[in-house]
């Protein structure tokens, strides 16, 4: 934290009136303006009308961070230059220059997105903390050029949940501790874009950028009640974002509306010489941009949506817990009442081959050579190796010259006391399994040989076949109906029985998330929609129409803000997760 800036900013916040009384942290007015839950368009209007300056916004958000961050652990560092950048944007505005819809609006990025300035980027780890990359993440450069004010970095699950694959808590990092869910601080934030999601939800900022390899946008978006799009990898440059997996990673906007998500997409998409996968996305953007695809609920009339019933709508854990099934089925009814044609997909052969019926991971009987973990483990080792080529530590640092995941894992082992083996080591990172994912990556030697291509190729082919065929509903008489999207329950606790991440991750296909309700532990959940490759424009249409129908926006009440300790607590009643089921990343209902 840059405490002098924060304290000065806190004084600004202290003297103003409160806009609402939700729990112990009501959101203060900002210079008399109710910026709580404001959209990009509303913020831009106040800036245009002169009711607020960009500097006001930065000060109000910094005051909010100062007030709430010790409970939420959602911000790892604020940008010491934020107020100066805001002043520059205000000066440009005064001289009549408006760069676009983001001009003067603060945004936050996840801690694995490198910003070339005075504050650290470290992927939530201690092992990377203090290093610098060769150049700024392309998407950050674009957001800055569009007038965005970089407010800081959000916390994250350490190494984007790529450090350990069991015995860890999502949202935890050895750098910043456990990120808390403002709806119920004993409950999970899901991973790994936890900080940015919590920050937007608790009004520490209006918009943020996260990343996803396997669930890291859509899971926390569900758990915190936000909108996002996890895109086809390559739609946006991944340059300057710590690599988890070349073939699966993608950044994505997190916001309180599909409109805000789309405005950010429009700024971030496009080709980048530093990321070859962006060349393949050329020509797949909608002609007038993504924001032009935002529609209202009238667009639901005649829309064709599929529900994969078996597996998924009948089997995933969240829908079978508490009263949730009734709530989910009421949502289906609401969609039907709004004119959606619902197609009940009772089986899909490709889907059943590759995903566990309970949500996460593979089916138990998958052929060992097809396990996608082989691809993830290999790509992690390859990715860090490439990342470290352009990541430089100071010459007097013991990590100077560090060049491989193996060396990172060794450094972690040698620094147990600072890398999260807290107390007796049974919390968060178990000392023995505290970096099981790193260790599995190291064991591949980063060799992209036959084992890698077999697992990756089969997984990508089968998952694409599953999503493509889910979109082609075959009637009894053989007529094929092309669907506009495939809808899944996006239940809480992400990595414990949720169907949103696996198939699209394996396939490299997009997903949208829409919040729709809260369950008996006071935390949100929602729906996610699978799209086809580069189907983001259609996803914006489907998700924005649903947004207008459901209009869910319940404020967090910060339950247990003063008592929550340790890692987040037990799963929602109805899940039966055993150690062995969690190791294969799923729970039985
Ligand atoms: C960046 O991290 C270093 C520790 O490596 C710390 O000393 C410094 O204060 C951090 N910078 C900011 C702006 O917080
Ligand atoms: C992009 O592809 C070209 C041609 O195959 C290759 O030379 C280059 O190293 C690649 N660049 C990156 C950043 O992967
Ligand atoms: C889909 O079909 C299954 C089994 O045939 C049935 O149990 C379920 O209620 C159906 N769902 C909808 C939304 O029609
Ligand atoms: C890595 O750094 C080298 C040397 O500065 C530069 O030429 C290269 O473009 C960088 N690669 C990436 C992917 O940023
Ligand atoms: C380890 O520490 C935790 C938290 O302090 C405590 O709940 C647990 O009982 C301890 N376990 C052992 C084996 O001492
Ligand atoms: C780190 O953990 C390993 C495995 O539990 C243990 O053998 C080693 O002594 C620990 N190192 C430190 C510095 O605590
Ligand atoms: C990695 O390298 C070690 C040592 O050379 C070797 O024993 C092992 O078989 C290799 N593993 C793979 C997956 O290539
Ligand atoms: C918060 O979560 C705890 C479980 O960790 C649960 O017992 C409690 O009822 C939840 N609070 C609310 C208000 O739902």
């Amino acid at each position: 934290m840059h405490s002098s800036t924060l304290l000065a900013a806190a004084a600004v916040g202290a003297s103003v009136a409160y806009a609402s009384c939700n729990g112990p942290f009501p959101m203060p007015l900002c210079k008399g303006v109710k910026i709580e839950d404001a959209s990009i368009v509303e913020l831009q209007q106040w800036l245009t009308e002169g009711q607020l300056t960009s500097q006001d916004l930065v000060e109000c958000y910094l005051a909010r961070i100062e007030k709430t961050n010790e409970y939420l652990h959602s911000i790892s560092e604020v940008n010491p230059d934020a107020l100066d950048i805001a002043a520059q944007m205000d000066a440009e505005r005064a001289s009549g220059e408006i760069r676009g819809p983001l001009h003067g609006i603060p945004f936050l990025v996840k801690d694995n997105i490198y910003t070339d300035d005075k504050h650290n980027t470290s992927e939530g780890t201690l092992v990377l903390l203090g290093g610098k990359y060769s150049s700024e993440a392309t998407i950050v450069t674009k957001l800055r050029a569009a007038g965005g004010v970089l407010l800081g970095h959000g916390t994250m699950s350490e190494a984007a949940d790529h450090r350990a694959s069991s015995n860890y808590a999502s949202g935890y990092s050895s750098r910043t501790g456990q990120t808390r869910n403002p709806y119920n601080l004993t409950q999970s934030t899901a991973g790994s874009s936890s900080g940015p999601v919590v920050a937007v939800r608790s009004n520490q900022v209006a918009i943020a950028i996260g990343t996803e390899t396997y669930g890291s946008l859509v899971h926390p978006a569900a758990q915190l009640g936000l909108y996002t799009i996890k895109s086809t990898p390559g739609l946006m440059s991944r340059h300057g974002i710590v690599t988890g997996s070349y073939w699966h990673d993608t950044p994505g906007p997190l916001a309180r509306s599909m409109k805000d998500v789309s405005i950010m997409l429009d700024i971030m998409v496009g080709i980048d010489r530093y990321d070859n996968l962006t060349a393949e996305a050329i020509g797949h953007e909608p002609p007038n941009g993504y924001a032009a695809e935002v529609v209202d609920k009238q667009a639901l009339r005649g829309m064709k949506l599929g529900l994969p019933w078996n597996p998924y709508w009948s089997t995933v854990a969240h829908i079978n817990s508490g009263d949730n099934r009734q709530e989910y089925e009421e949502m289906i009814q609401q969609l039907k009442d709004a004119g959606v044609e619902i197609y009940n997909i009772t089986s899909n052969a490709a889907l059943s081959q590759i995903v566990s019926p309970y949500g996460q991971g593979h089916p138990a009987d998958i052929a060992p050579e097809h396990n996608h973990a082989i691809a993830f483990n290999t790509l992690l080792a390859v990715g860090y190796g490439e990342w470290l080529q352009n990541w430089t530590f100071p010459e007097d640092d013991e990590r100077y010259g560090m060049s491989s995941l193996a060396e990172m894992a060794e450094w972690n082992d040698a620094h147990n006391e600072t890398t999260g083996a807290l107390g007796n080591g049974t919390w968060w990172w178990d000392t023995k399994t505290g970096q099981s994912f790193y260790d599995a990556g190291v064991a591949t030697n980063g060799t992209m040989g036959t084992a890698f291509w077999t697992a990756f190729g089969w997984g990508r082919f089968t998952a694409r076949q599953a999503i493509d065929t889910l979109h082609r509903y075959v009637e009894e008489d053989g007529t094929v109906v092309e669907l506009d999207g495939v809808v899944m329950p996006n239940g809480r606790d992400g990595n414990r029985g949720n169907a949103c991440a696996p198939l699209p991750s394996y396939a490299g296909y997009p997903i949208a998330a829409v919040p729709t309700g809260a369950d008996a532990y006071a935390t949100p959940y929602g729906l996610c929609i699978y799209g086809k490759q580069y189907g983001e424009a259609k996803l914006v249409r489907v998700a924005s129409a649903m947004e207008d129908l459901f209009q869910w926006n319940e404020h967090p009440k910060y339950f247990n803000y003063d008592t929550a300790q340790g890692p987040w607590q037990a799963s929602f009643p109805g899940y039966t997760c055993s150690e062995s089921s969690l190791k294969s990343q799923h729970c039985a209902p």
Side-chain angles (χ1 to χ4, degrees), residues 184 186-187 520-522 559-560 569-570:
N184 185 344
T186 64
Q187 289 296 294
Y521 274 4
F559 288 120
N560 304 314
Q569 286 175 10

Side-chain angles (χ1 to χ4, degrees), residues 45-101:
Q45 182 153 359
W46 290 317
L47 292 170
T48 305
E49 290 168 355
Q51 278 168 271
L52 288 173
T53 64
S54 182
Q55 292 169 85
D56 292 336
L57 282 178
V58 168
E59 284 175 351
C60 291
Y61 287 132
L62 289 178
R64 181 68 170 171
I65 292 167
E66 177 82 354
K67 178 116 183 137
T68 53
N69 203 46
E70 68 175 291
Y71 300 99
L72 298 174
H73 297 177
S74 42
I75 309 289
S76 61
E77 280 178 25
V78 296
N79 179 4
D81 295 328
L83 268 174
D84 291 344
I85 301 170
Q88 188 197 331
M89 290 304 126
D90 286 337
E92 281 185 17
R93 183 183 299 276
S95 70
E97 190 195 332
I98 308 291
R99 300 187 188 198

Side-chain angles (χ1 to χ4, degrees), residues 227-527:
Y227 296 84
T228 192
I229 284 196
K230 182 293 259 199
S231 72
T232 307
L235 190 72
M236 283 165 274
S237 170
R238 293 89 46 81
H239 169 71
I241 302 174
V242 185
T243 318
S245 164
Y246 178 83
W247 291 107
H248 306 82
D249 291 350
T250 184
L254 292 153
R256 270 186 241 89
S257 68
M258 261 316 186
K259 180 73 179 281
D260 283 1
V261 166
S262 312
I263 290 172
M264 287 188 277
L265 275 183
D266 282 330
I267 293 166
M268 294 192 292
V269 297
I271 192 164
D272 178 15
R273 67 180 160 142
Y274 293 118
D275 182 354
N276 283 349
L277 211 47
T278 57
E280 307 201 358
I282 292 172
H284 291 290
E285 297 158 21
N288 299 314
Y290 293 95
E293 301 291 325
V294 171
V295 292
D296 65 18
K297 65 184 177 200
Q298 298 306 323
L300 291 170
R301 196 151 297 284
M303 202 175 263
K304 300 178 175 63
L305 299 177
L307 306 182
W309 204 267
N310 187 28
Y312 282 171
W313 278 82
S314 61
T315 52
V316 294
H318 188 252
I319 199 170
N320 289 313
S321 305
D323 298 328
N324 294 351
R325 177 163 294 278
Q326 194 187 328
E327 310 259 330
Y328 275 111
E329 296 200 5
E330 276 170 18
M331 275 191 281
I332 298 175
Q333 191 55 49
Q334 275 180 274
L335 287 169
K336 283 182 177 166
D337 293 346
V340 174
E341 294 168 25
I342 295 287
Y343 292 83
N344 191 349
I345 303 168
T346 47
S347 70
N348 182 286
L351 186 156
S352 299
Q353 277 182 61
I354 189 169
V355 290
S356 155
Y358 305 119
Q360 293 292 78
H362 290 305
D365 61 354
I366 192 160
E369 69 271 21
H370 289 163
N371 194 328
H372 216 72
I374 297 167
F376 286 130
N377 295 339
T378 309
L379 290 166
L380 189 70
V382 172
Y384 274 124
E386 288 176 357
W387 179 260
L388 288 168
Q389 285 177 18
N390 282 46
W391 184 258
T392 319
F393 291 105
E395 272 180 46
D396 60 353
D397 190 299
E398 60 174 343
R399 294 163 297 172
Y400 180 74
M402 182 181 270
S403 66
S404 68
L405 176 58
E407 289 171 61
M408 290 169 66
E410 275 166 31
W411 190 90
N412 277 346
D413 267 340
H415 295 79
N416 281 2
E417 73 285 2
T418 51
T419 56
L422 301 177
N424 58 25
T426 54
W427 291 89
W428 294 302
W429 305 117
D430 178 287
T431 49
K432 285 195 226 47
T433 55
Q435 48 179 344
S436 50
F437 208 145
Y438 275 13
D439 291 342
V442 171
T444 70
N445 300 331
T447 306
M448 291 173 77
T450 305
F452 166 78
W453 289 109
T454 302
F456 175 70
W458 181 84
R460 187 137 285 197
F461 174 81
T462 310
R464 288 183 171 189
Q465 196 182 34
I467 297 177
D468 290 343
T469 53
L470 284 170
H471 279 83
R472 281 198 298 273
Y473 185 85
V474 184
E475 309 257 26
E476 266 174 36
D477 66 359
T479 314
V480 174
V481 182
E482 289 289 338
L483 304 184
D484 295 301
V486 174
V487 182
M488 302 286 178
N490 196 6
R492 63 192 341 275
D493 289 3
N495 53 347
R496 325 230 155 187
N498 179 323
C500 289
L503 266 181
S505 172
Y506 303 147
Y509 278 14
I511 327 167
V514 177
T516 57
D519 68 23
Y521 274 4
T523 56
Y525 63 88
L527 296 171

Side-chain angles (χ1 to χ4, degrees), residues 206-228:
I207 48 170
I209 308 298
T211 64
E212 170 155 338
T213 307
Y214 183 107
S216 285
L217 288 164
V218 294
H219 290 159
Q223 189 90 6
L224 280 299
L226 292 182
Y227 296 84
T228 192

